[in-house]
Amino acid sequence: MNKMQLNKAVAERIKELMNERNLTQYALHKLSGVPQSTLSTIINCRFPGMKLRIIYEICEGLEITLEEFFNSPLFSRENITD
């Protein structure tokens, strides 16, 4: 796996979880309450950083814990760049 920035890893993880559940950005917006424009910004990596609260709300919509969200090889130290 190639190294990536943290925001890219978060975007990839959200896309991975949406694909597993056959969800669109709109469907995730409805489930999580996170504005669709915010989801689009995150997924397209057009943000310098984000609040953990947004990830928490996405997890709530997906009915998973933060631990389950971050339990992915995407977030291993050797895969993240500074």
Side-chain angles (χ1 to χ4, degrees), residues 21-55:
R21 292 162 174 76
N22 295 315
L23 294 175
T24 62
Q25 285 183 34
Y26 180 75
L28 182 55
H29 147 70
K30 295 303 275 182
L31 290 169
S32 67
V34 175
Q36 193 171 356
S37 60
T38 300
L39 289 172
S40 177
T41 298
I42 292 167
I43 289 169
N44 293 305
C45 294
R46 292 188 312 249
F47 62 94
M50 76 171 71
K51 294 181 181 178
L52 188 57
R53 180 74 190 176
I54 293 172
I55 296 174

Side-chain angles (χ1 to χ4, degrees), residues 34 58 70 80:
V34 175
I58 291 169
F70 287 110
I80 300 291

Side-chain angles (χ1 to χ4, degrees), residues 9-17 68-69 71-72 74-75:
V10 168
E12 289 301 315
R13 182 64 172 148
I14 292 170
K15 288 189 274 188
E16 185 178 88
L17 291 164
E68 289 171 301
F69 182 86
N71 185 16
S72 167
L74 291 168
F75 300 107

Side-chain angles (χ1 to χ4, degrees), residues 63-81:
E63 297 182 347
I64 63 172
T65 64
L66 284 168
E67 180 181 19
E68 289 171 301
F69 182 86
F70 287 110
N71 185 16
S72 167
L74 291 168
F75 300 107
S76 66
R77 182 175 288 147
E78 60 271 2
N79 291 329
I80 300 291
T81 63

